[in-house]
């Protein structure tokens, strides 16, 4: 029988400080027996006979007198089997859909372990999302981590939903979706549930929900539970798993809250100095392992506070993930969906998954040319605002025409509109052909001769 | 009892008592799992240890075991072509022990002790050997002859030489007699934080040729020099580092993936064996050593990975090789310092970084140099460090302090990257401090007027920058034609010369003589066009010239091993101009 410890010295925010403990290990899970039932926590620091415990649920109502703590000797583990598909869990991995617990001999540590770089397989297969701006310019690769940098009120949920809807077809039968919600609103959670239902994928979705009013500490564990489930499905069940994590900004704020409760030395904007390592321990759990048929593709969503891309959360995320899709409020206000600002958007892995043998030979140069010409359009636009559009030179007027056609015909989509990757490339050619041939300096001459439509 | 007893655990930092017999920077084994750690402070009976593996599961009261030696690496055959973690443990071996995911408690493993190498001896019994002198070699890869050297501070008369045969690294293959007897094996151990000794340093005089036009021509790096590549995310730091690792003309490349993406290391592992070195026609993996501490691997080992890498680089330098080391990214290393410093509750300086950040950076970059080795050979270590400034803001402490200790600064620009101008090296804010030192070499080996051309081109780019300010306000049309010509020539330089396509088989690596000829063509066009404009030829006409678009495309259309293509292009341009001039003079 395991010992119970009664000597609580201090309760502060989500932290509980126990003294006179023995045989406790770092990072293990504890059960806290209180008047209102059992709560859980984990050991975050040990000092002589003292242990600092981070409590996953709320600490309100706890008292130093009537609390008994039991150490389980194990890190946080969740039970996994194929039965998790179609189920809903809380952020701590406990079912909340009334369907009863998961019984399985397989229990996995939610902290995971780093994938050995020599065991990885470099991702090369593209996923067709049916959205032109993503497929042509920031191609999503299976095994990639490609976040959506959004802002409050922008349609990131819709874009994620559209990607899930349209990407599923290419995956055939062997796909699954893991949805990890950290601090999102009830109506957002509802939107996703409804969308999964409508597109008929609900029985392939595993949801881990930590809503905005759920305990903050649970939020730290939520993405780890979700990714552990994803790893199980990908590497034990050979499935292609798409993981959507929303909203990473709430996650980071939770981390900051706990860090400040622990009186740690703060880094930028009060976020802890280890924010980079902590985020990496989540994002790096995407990829493909040599010899395994499955894969984990991550689409984390984050809302940039004040639309600021240099804020620590998007900044550190961008350094870890393999590119980013950036949404723009300005484009959205012009009633363009999806409001993707293509210039700061990037997919680092697309270079090896597109072009001859993957999509089409001209894809890389066309993508490059669109970026270059659209940059030029931005410059011309700025000039037109100063001197008026009529005063522009004839070539600059062509750029204005190009830019408008690009936004109205290429960028703009209907929520249910799906374009194949070849359709998107052809569409790009027809818009690029507005410009004279000698302006297209990023495309090799022989491709220009073959595809230019002017 | 000499073991320490753990009293405090906080992430990768532990404290223990009964530590008075331990030494500062001593390597220790922590807890029942024997995790690897290093003593980083001692106070009376207490010691602080940073642990290079995950500490979850560790308990108060477990022991800390001494090893009696500082954190060191084994240096011997089996390093090249391998991929190691931050403390020189081969990742392939770790995979054999713990599968696809990295576990802790594997212990200290290093280069393969069982592999047998064919050893060829260079000395006989009775010879007197000085420290650093090579006494045998092993063909480690078809590219690299691995010399087995007498370790520093060891010398003596040879009393025993093993027969030419196959040995593994633990076999004694040579004995030396001085005031005591030394038994030499095929490897030596060296503490990573101490620079390996050299006889003396030479001044810098040779460039590290990279085949990247913007670097070789505009901001050259030197053999034995230091360079930093700062840039926000998505500006192409890693891409530039990969290009340098692939094509620079060093003999040995050490690539440290420090706190970066797992997939990037996999990419190098998959790509390099397929890529062919332009100088030797052998796969690049034959000269490459990889060190990987990806962003999700333990943070303390990230701090060590930089030292492990530079120590390996110095070891190959001591054999007489030119070694280049790429550290991607030094900011992650600085953040590892900050993270550990924070857990030690040290007083933070700027942005939470410890006050010793600058001195640590200086210590690292000063390990580069063009030297005479102990055995009297000329060799070098060049360091190219990527910097990832938070928010892309170059005023942050790591970028600023790095700037103080490096001579080449290749500043990556977000706006260039957005318009897919790669490599996105900003020509206005980058610099190279080696220009005057390398002047002679370029004069002798490329051309007398190379740097003069470079200067003129850079001037055009600077003038363009000023003109663009005006263009932004009033449009291009109002400028006089000679100023509009500057904009056009700048376009030739930017698109025709500076932009380089890493995925194009010819354009990914461009030899210096082609770079020179490309510059020459642009200059020729500029001079001719300026003359034509003075004679009244409108700029619109010049822009439509065939020569103009041929210069834009010459990087693709003229092969690296060109014959008379540049002469033809020159003739075409000259003829086209004389025709245009004729038609205008005729009016």
């Amino acid at each position: 029988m395991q010992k119970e410890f009664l000597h609580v010295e201090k309760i502060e925010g989500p932290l509980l400080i126990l003294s006179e403990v023995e045989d406790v290990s770092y990072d293990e899970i504890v059960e806290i027996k209180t008047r209102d039932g059992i709560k859980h926590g984990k050991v975050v620091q040990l000092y002589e006979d003292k242990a600092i415990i981070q409590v996953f649920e709320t600490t309100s109502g706890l008292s130093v007198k009537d609390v008994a703590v039991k150490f389980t000797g194990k890190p946080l583990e969740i039970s996994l089997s194929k039965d998790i598909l179609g189920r809903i869990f809380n952020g701590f991995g406990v079912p909340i859909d009334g369907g009863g617990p998961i019984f399985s001999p397989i229990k996995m540590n939610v902290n995971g372990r780093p994938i050995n770089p020599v065991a990885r397989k470099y991702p090369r297969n593209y996923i067709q999302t049916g959205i032109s701006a993503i497929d042509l310019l920031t191609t999503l690769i299976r095994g990639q981590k490609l976040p959506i940098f959004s802002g409050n009120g922008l349609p990131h949920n819709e874009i994620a939903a559209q990607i899930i809807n349209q990407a599923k077809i290419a995956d055939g039968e062997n796909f699954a979706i893991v949805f990890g919600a950290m601090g999102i609103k009830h109506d957002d959670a509802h939107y996703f549930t409804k969308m999964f239902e409508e597109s008929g994928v609900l029985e392939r979705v595993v949801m881990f929900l930590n809503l905005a009013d759920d305990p903050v500490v649970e939020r730290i564990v939520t993405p780890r539970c979700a990714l552990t489930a994803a790893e199980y499905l990908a590497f034990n069940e050979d499935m292609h798993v798409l993981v959507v994590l929303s909203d990473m900004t709430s996650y980071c704020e939770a981390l900051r809250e706990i860090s400040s409760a622990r009186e740690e030395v703060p880094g930028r904007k009060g976020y802890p100095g280890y924010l980079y390592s902590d985020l990496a321990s989540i994002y790096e759990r995407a990829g493909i392992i040599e010899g395994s048929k499955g894969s984990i593709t991550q689409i984390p969503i984050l809302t940039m506070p004040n639309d600021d891309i240099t804020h620590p959360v998007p900044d550190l995320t961008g350094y870890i993930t393999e590119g980013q899709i950036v949404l723009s409020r300005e484009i959205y206000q012009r009633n363009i969906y999806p409001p993707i600002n293509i210039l700061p958007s990037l997919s680092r892995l697309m270079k090896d998954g597109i072009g001859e043998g993957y999509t089409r030979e001209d894809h890389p140069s066309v993508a490059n040319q669109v970026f270059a010409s659209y940059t030029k359009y931005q410059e011309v636009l700025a000039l037109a605002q100063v001197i008026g559009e009529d005063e522009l030179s004839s070539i600059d007027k062509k750029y204005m025409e190009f830019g408008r056609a690009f936004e109205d015909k290429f960028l703009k989509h209907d929520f249910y509109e799906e374009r194949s990757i070849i359709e998107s490339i052809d569409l790009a050619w027809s818009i690029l052909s507005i410009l004279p041939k000698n302006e297209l300096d990023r495309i090799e001459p022989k491709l220009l001769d073959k595809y230019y439509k002017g | 009892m000499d073991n320490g007893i753990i009293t405090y655990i906080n992430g990768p930092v532990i404290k223990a008592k009964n530590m008075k017999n331990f030494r500062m920077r001593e390597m220790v084994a922590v807890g029942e799992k024997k995790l690897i750690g290093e003593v980083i402070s001692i106070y009376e009976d207490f010691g602080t240890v940073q642990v290079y593996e995950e500490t979850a599961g560790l308990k108060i009261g477990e022991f800390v075991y001494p090893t009696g030696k500082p954190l060191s690496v084994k240096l011997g055959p089996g390093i090249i072509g391998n991929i190691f973690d931050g403390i020189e443990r081969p990742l392939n071996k770790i995979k054999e022990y713990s599968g696809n995911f990295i576990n802790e408690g594997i212990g200290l493993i290093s280069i393969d002790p069982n592999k047998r190498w064919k050893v060829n001896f260079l000395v006989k019994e009775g010879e007197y050997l000085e420290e650093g002198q090579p006494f045998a070699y092993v063909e480690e890869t078809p590219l690299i002859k691995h010399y087995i050297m007498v370790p520093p501070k060891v010398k003596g008369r040879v009393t025993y030489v093993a027969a030419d045969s196959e040995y593994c690294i633990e076999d004694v293959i040579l004995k030396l007699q001085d005031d005591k007897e030394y038994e030499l094996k095929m490897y030596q151990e060296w503490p990573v934080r101490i620079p390996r000794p050299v006889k003396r340093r030479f001044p810098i005089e040779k460039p590290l040729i990279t085949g990247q036009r913007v670097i070789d021509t505009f901001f050259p790096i030197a053999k034995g020099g230091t360079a930093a590549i700062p840039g926000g995310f998505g500006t192409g730091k890693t891409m530039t580092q990969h290009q340098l690792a692939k094509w620079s003309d060093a003999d040995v490349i050490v690539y440290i993936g420090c706190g970066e993406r797992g997939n990037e290391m996999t990419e190098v592992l998959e790509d390099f064996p397929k890529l062919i070195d332009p100088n030797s026609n052998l796969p690049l993996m034959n000269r490459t050593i990889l060190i990987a501490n990806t962003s999700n691997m333990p943070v303390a080992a990230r701090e060590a990975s930089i030292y492990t890498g530079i120590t390996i680089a110095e070891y190959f330098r001591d054999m007489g090789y030119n070694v280049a080391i790429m550290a991607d990214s030094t900011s992650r290393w600085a953040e590892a310092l900050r993270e550990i410093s924070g857990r030690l509750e040290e007083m933070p300086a700027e942005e939470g970084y410890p006050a010793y950040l600058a001195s640590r950076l200086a210590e690292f970059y000063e390990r580069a140099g063009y030297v005479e080795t102990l055995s009297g050979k000329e060799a070098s270590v060049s360091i190219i460090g990527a910097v990832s400034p938070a928010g892309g803001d170059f005023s942050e402490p790591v970028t600023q302090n790095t700037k103080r200790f490096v001579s080449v600064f290749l500043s990556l620009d977000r706006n260039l990257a957005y318009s897919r101008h790669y490599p996105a090296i900003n020509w206005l804010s980058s610099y190279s401090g080696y220009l005057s030192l390398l002047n002679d070499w370029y004069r002798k080996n490329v051309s007398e007027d190379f740097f003069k051309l470079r200067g003129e081109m850079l001037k055009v780019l600077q003038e363009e920058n000023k003109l663009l300010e005006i263009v932004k306000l009033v449009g291009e049309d109002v400028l006089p034609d000679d100023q509009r010509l500057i904009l056009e020539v700048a376009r030739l330089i930017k698109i025709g010369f500076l932009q380089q396509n890493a995925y194009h088989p010819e354009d990914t690596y461009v030899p210096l003589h082609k770079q020179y000829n490309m510059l020459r063509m642009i200059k020729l066009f500029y001079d001719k066009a300026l003359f034509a404009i003075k004679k009244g030829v409108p700029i619109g006409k010049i822009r439509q010239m065939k020569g103009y678009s041929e210069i834009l495309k010459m990087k693709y259309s003229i092969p690296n091993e060109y014959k008379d293509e540049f002469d033809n292009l020159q003739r075409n341009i000259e003829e086209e101009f004389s025709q245009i001039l004729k038609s205008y003079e005729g009016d």
Side-chain angles (χ1 to χ4, degrees):
Chain A
M1 186 54 216
Q2 276 162 324
K3 255 186 172 171
E4 286 187 346
F5 297 93
L6 305 167
H7 208 105
V8 175
E9 204 169 79
K10 190 171 157 190
I11 303 170
E12 192 182 320
L15 301 179
L16 200 69
I17 297 167
L18 275 166
S19 58
E20 292 172 29
V21 298
E22 51 195 53
D23 204 31
V24 179
S25 55
Y26 184 68
D27 212 33
E28 76 174 291
I29 290 293
V30 299
E31 284 175 7
I32 304 157
K33 217 188 275 173
T34 69
R35 226 174 28 187
D36 324 317
I38 288 181
K39 294 177 191 279
H40 295 86
K42 85 172 182 178
V43 178
V44 292
Q45 189 173 325
L46 287 169
Y47 181 57
E48 286 173 354
D49 68 338
K50 293 191 181 56
I52 302 182
I53 289 156
Q54 187 173 299
V55 185
F56 292 122
E57 293 95 341
T58 169
T59 47
S60 54
L62 286 191
S63 136
V64 291
K65 277 180 272 170
D66 60 357
V67 169
V69 177
K70 198 164 89 185
F71 291 87
T72 62
K74 279 184 294 194
L76 180 57
E77 287 175 334
I78 51 175
S79 297
L80 294 165
S81 76
K82 247 189 152 168
D83 296 338
I84 57 171
L85 289 168
R87 299 292 305 273
I88 303 174
F89 303 86
N90 71 4
F92 194 55
V94 178
I96 49 169
D97 54 359
I102 301 289
F103 291 105
S104 166
I106 299 174
K107 286 186 167 44
M108 285 166 79
N109 179 349
V110 299
N111 289 319
R113 294 201 175 276
I115 302 178
N116 190 329
V118 298
R120 278 181 188 268
K121 198 169 147 205
Y122 190 68
R124 286 181 202 273
N125 278 334
Y126 72 92
I127 300 176
Q128 178 173 306
T129 65
I131 299 174
S132 293
I134 296 176
D135 285 348
L136 180 77
L137 302 169
T138 52
T139 318
L140 179 65
I141 306 288
R142 181 168 293 154
Q144 184 175 21
K145 37 196 181 290
L146 189 64
I148 298 176
F149 285 12
S150 183
N152 296 313
L154 292 179
H156 43 263
N157 289 343
E158 284 81 354
I159 295 173
Q162 193 173 357
I163 293 174
I164 290 170
N165 257 337
Q166 294 177 172
K168 66 174 200 272
I169 295 131
D171 283 325
E173 278 305 287
N174 217 9
F175 79 97
I177 293 155
V178 175
F179 181 68
M182 288 91 72
I184 68 169
K185 293 181 299 225
H186 281 269
D187 39 346
D188 288 339
H190 185 71
Y191 172 83
F192 276 104
T193 325
K194 198 170 124 243
M195 191 277 306
F196 291 141
E197 223 166 284
E198 274 172 11
S199 56
V201 290
L202 200 58
E203 74 280 8
R204 303 195 157 270
V205 179
V206 191
M207 291 175 105
F208 291 86
L209 298 181
N210 168 276
L211 300 175
D213 53 356
D214 285 338
V216 169
V217 181
E218 186 186 287
R219 207 162 290 164
I220 308 288
V221 195
T222 310
R224 296 188 163 82
C225 289
L227 285 161
T228 307
E231 277 168 4
Y232 168 78
L233 293 173
F235 305 130
N236 291 35
E237 301 289 345
D238 288 338
M239 299 180 93
H240 292 299
V241 187
L242 188 65
V243 182
V244 178
L245 299 172
S246 178
D247 168 343
M248 289 307 290
T249 310
S250 313
Y251 169 83
C252 294
E253 268 154 19
L255 207 62
R256 174 167 69 178
E257 195 175 325
I258 290 155
S259 167
S260 89
R262 288 176 63 185
E263 296 173 9
E264 291 173 333
V265 182
R268 245 190 342 146
K269 291 215 167 153
Y271 290 96
Y274 50 80
L275 183 60
Y276 181 83
S277 306
D278 191 277
L279 282 174
S281 71
I282 294 173
Y283 296 139
E284 276 290 325
R285 290 171 81 173
I288 308 176
I289 288 180
E290 190 73 61
S292 160
K293 288 199 196 88
S295 67
I296 299 179
T297 311
Q298 264 191 42
I299 304 184
I301 296 170
L302 57 88
T303 46
M304 299 182 277
N306 206 14
D307 294 347
D308 175 13
I309 200 171
T310 64
H311 183 277
V313 177
D315 189 48
L316 295 180
T317 298
Y319 276 122
I320 306 165
T321 54
E322 284 137 352
Q324 63 276 339
I325 295 169
V326 183
L327 305 189
S328 149
R329 194 171 302 278
E330 195 257 332
I331 296 176
Y332 191 53
Q333 279 160 351
R334 277 188 278 132
N335 199 23
I336 293 170
Y337 169 88
I340 298 174
N341 183 0
I342 62 161
L343 295 179
S345 300
L346 171 76
S347 162
R348 288 167 195 274
L349 298 184
M350 70 185 274
K351 59 185 165 58
D352 296 303
I354 61 167
E356 210 167 352
Y358 296 99
T359 54
R360 205 168 79 186
E361 47 168 354
D362 54 333
H363 184 169
S365 353
V366 170
N368 241 329
Q369 186 62 56
V370 169
F371 282 120
S373 302
Y374 192 68
T375 312
K376 176 81 181 161
Y377 161 67
Q378 299 291 332
E379 284 165 19
V380 174
L381 199 62
L383 181 62
Q385 274 161 4
V386 180
I387 62 172
E389 212 175 317
D390 293 344
E391 299 296 314
L392 292 175
S393 65
S394 59
I395 182 80
D396 284 353
K397 281 183 183 144
K398 285 281 181 204
Y399 271 104
M400 293 296 284
E401 196 187 334
F402 160 81
R404 294 204 172 113
F406 175 80
E407 289 181 354
D408 288 341
K409 294 190 184 135
F410 187 88
L411 201 54
K412 211 169 181 171
H413 257 268
D414 191 71
F415 182 71
Y416 293 103
E417 184 184 2
E418 191 176 343
R419 296 183 202 139
S420 79
I421 212 155
I422 299 298
E423 277 168 0
S424 294
I425 300 175
D426 285 337
L427 186 59
W429 270 112
S430 70
I431 293 166
L432 282 173
S433 298
I434 293 172
L435 297 170
K437 211 170 176 179
N438 65 354
E439 285 293 314
L440 305 182
D441 47 35
R442 302 296 175 92
I443 302 176
E444 285 187 56
K446 67 172 200 296
L447 293 176
L448 207 52
D449 293 339
K450 190 165 167 191
Y451 293 105
Y452 185 72
K453 292 173 185 164
Chain B
M1 196 169 85
D2 291 335
N3 296 336
I5 299 157
I6 298 175
T7 59
Y8 170 95
I9 306 168
N10 180 4
V13 171
I14 66 151
K15 289 179 184 167
K17 60 184 178 192
N18 194 28
M19 294 282 286
K20 56 180 168 293
N21 292 322
F22 286 65
R23 286 170 190 282
M24 189 68 177
R25 293 286 172 196
E26 177 173 343
M27 189 162 41
V28 295
V30 178
E32 279 168 26
K33 285 188 183 166
K34 301 262 165 64
L35 308 175
I36 296 164
E38 186 181 5
V39 179
I40 53 173
S41 83
I42 300 171
Y43 173 69
E44 288 174 356
D45 196 29
F46 292 90
T48 309
V49 175
Q50 66 178 12
V51 185
Y52 293 124
E53 298 178 82
E54 182 57 52
T55 51
L58 210 58
K59 290 178 181 171
I60 299 287
E62 286 186 37
F63 293 132
V64 178
Y65 307 91
T67 63
K69 58 185 183 190
L71 180 67
S72 355
V73 289
K74 273 187 184 169
L75 301 164
I79 292 180
I80 293 199
N82 219 330
I83 176 166
F84 300 101
D85 76 352
I87 46 177
E88 211 213 7
R89 298 187 298 179
L91 287 172
N92 286 316
K93 277 269 178 300
I94 293 182
K95 191 181 165 201
E96 278 171 32
Y97 284 111
S98 74
N100 292 330
F101 296 87
I102 296 175
N103 258 326
E104 66 270 354
I106 290 164
L108 203 62
I109 50 173
S110 184
I111 45 178
D112 191 346
N114 301 319
K115 177 155 183 177
R116 301 188 81 78
W117 300 91
K118 170 89 184 61
V119 183
N120 305 284
F121 287 92
L122 301 165
V123 297
K124 291 194 184 68
E125 271 178 40
E127 280 182 53
Y128 192 84
L129 299 185
E130 296 285 348
E131 58 175 348
Q133 199 171 329
F135 59 84
Y137 71 86
V138 165
E139 302 271 358
E140 186 170 358
T141 70
L143 264 177
I144 299 296
K145 235 184 214 182
H146 189 121
Y147 290 96
I148 319 286
M149 298 169 290
V150 180
K153 296 198 179 95
V154 174
K155 57 185 184 223
R157 197 164 299 283
V158 180
T159 56
Y160 164 76
V161 181
D164 273 7
S165 175
E166 289 190 350
Y167 297 97
C168 51
I169 58 166
E170 293 287 349
D171 294 330
V172 173
I173 55 170
L174 194 88
K175 288 179 187 166
L176 292 182
Q177 182 68 46
D178 199 29
D179 38 0
K180 66 181 220 191
E181 183 175 63
Y182 298 99
E183 294 189 335
L184 302 187
K185 298 175 180 175
M186 278 163 74
Y187 70 91
Q188 29 183 294
E189 276 186 87
W190 191 262
V192 295
R193 294 181 198 279
I194 299 172
R196 287 174 63 86
V198 294
K199 208 173 256 173
R200 63 187 172 120
R201 278 171 176 261
F202 289 123
I204 298 263
E205 53 188 18
K206 285 186 190 146
L208 182 77
I209 295 162
T210 64
Q212 311 304 305
R213 287 186 293 261
V214 59
I215 297 175
D216 288 351
T217 300
F218 285 100
F219 310 108
I221 305 173
K223 288 208 172 81
T226 50
I229 309 178
F233 62 82
T235 50
K237 283 182 303 296
T238 303
M239 198 57 224
T240 312
Q241 290 275 40
H242 280 194
Q243 283 297 94
L244 294 178
K246 284 174 191 166
W247 307 121
S248 60
D249 69 337
D251 303 310
V252 177
I253 301 283
V254 181
Y255 193 96
I256 310 171
C258 177
E260 291 289 307
R261 306 173 183 90
N263 277 333
E264 279 170 3
M265 296 316 293
T266 314
E267 184 187 359
V268 175
L269 279 177
E270 287 184 16
D271 277 0
F272 275 41
K274 286 183 232 148
L275 288 167
I276 300 298
D277 174 27
N279 302 315
S280 66
N281 290 322
L282 287 165
L284 282 172
M285 211 56 203
N286 280 325
R287 62 160 196 182
T288 309
I289 299 146
L290 299 171
I291 293 170
N293 177 283
T294 58
S295 54
N296 54 344
M297 282 157 78
V299 68
R302 192 167 309 157
E303 195 265 338
S305 65
I306 290 275
Y307 296 102
T308 301
I310 190 90
T311 306
I312 290 174
E314 286 174 339
Y315 174 66
F316 281 94
R317 173 204 65 195
D318 290 346
M319 296 177 203
Y321 291 116
N322 290 311
V323 186
I325 169 167
M326 279 97 207
D328 183 17
S329 142
T330 56
S331 292
R332 304 297 161 233
W333 169 71
E335 278 161 17
L337 280 182
R338 173 168 74 181
E339 187 171 333
I340 292 159
S341 163
R343 302 225 190 225
L344 292 173
E345 293 171 5
E346 291 174 338
M347 178 74 82
E350 264 178 292
E351 290 193 19
Y353 287 102
Y356 47 77
L357 172 68
S359 59
R360 292 284 170 86
L361 278 169
E363 278 167 21
F364 170 62
Y365 281 107
E366 280 299 301
R367 286 174 82 167
Y370 199 86
V371 302
E372 182 182 349
T373 65
L374 290 179
S375 59
K377 289 180 185 142
E378 269 187 40
S380 67
V381 171
S382 322
I383 301 180
I384 298 146
V387 183
S388 319
D393 170 16
F394 288 3
S395 66
E396 57 91 42
V398 183
T399 317
Q400 281 308 315
N401 284 311
T402 303
K403 236 175 156 173
R404 291 163 56 200
F405 308 117
V406 299
S407 295
V408 180
F409 188 74
L410 301 169
S411 137
L412 296 177
D413 187 304
R414 195 166 257 177
N415 289 323
L416 289 176
Y418 284 178
S419 65
R420 276 30 178 195
H421 173 115
Y422 288 126
I425 295 173
N426 184 311
W427 48 89
L428 297 171
S429 54
S430 302
Y431 58 79
S432 165
Y434 295 126
L435 285 176
S436 53
L437 299 172
L438 298 176
N439 201 354
D440 280 346
W441 189 95
Y442 274 91
R443 241 165 224 267
K444 266 181 230 152
N445 295 281
V446 192
S447 164
E448 279 290 331
D449 60 343
F450 187 79
F451 273 12
K452 195 169 148 262
L453 273 178
R454 167 193 181 272
E456 282 174 41
M457 295 299 120
L458 214 50
K459 190 161 159 253
V460 170
L461 290 170
Q462 260 152 5
E463 276 175 30
E464 185 221 15
N465 189 47
K466 275 186 227 149
L467 291 175
L468 283 179
E469 295 291 313
I470 304 172
V471 171
K472 258 185 220 153
L473 291 176
V474 293
E476 201 184 316
D477 288 350
V478 297
L479 293 179
D481 273 4
D482 58 336
Q483 292 192 344
R484 289 185 67 184
L485 177 65
I486 289 191
L487 298 183
E488 294 304 330
V489 176
R491 182 160 179 252
L492 285 183
I493 302 173
K494 286 191 288 188
I495 296 168
F497 190 83
L498 292 176
Q499 282 181 17
Q500 192 164 351
N501 187 344
Y503 306 113
H504 191 280
E506 286 286 318
D507 206 32
T508 184
Y509 171 87
V510 180
L512 271 178
H513 53 84
K514 184 179 170 189
Q515 299 188 20
Y516 167 67
N517 274 313
M518 290 172 78
L519 278 185
R520 215 164 50 85
M521 291 303 117
I522 297 172
K523 165 77 175 151
L524 174 80
F525 187 89
Y526 182 33
D527 288 346
K528 293 274 170 198
L530 198 60
F531 182 76
I533 279 174
K534 282 189 182 141
K535 292 278 177 201
V537 179
I539 185 80
K541 190 84 189 159
I542 284 167
R543 215 187 143 146
Q544 282 160 12
M545 285 177 61
K546 253 181 83 190
Y548 182 83
S549 49
E550 271 177 42
I551 289 181
L552 279 181
K553 305 223 152 94
M554 66 186 166
K555 58 180 170 187
Y556 298 133
S557 58
I558 299 182
N560 285 338
E561 298 311 319
Y562 57 88
K563 292 189 191 75
D564 50 1
E565 283 90 343
F566 279 110
D567 297 337
N568 293 342
L569 180 58
Q570 178 168 0
R571 208 172 321 116
N572 292 346
I573 292 172
E574 281 168 353
E575 268 168 28
E576 205 180 356
F577 269 109
S578 65
Q579 271 171 10
I580 288 178
L581 277 173
K582 238 180 254 164
S583 68
Y584 273 82
E585 275 164 0
D587 284 350

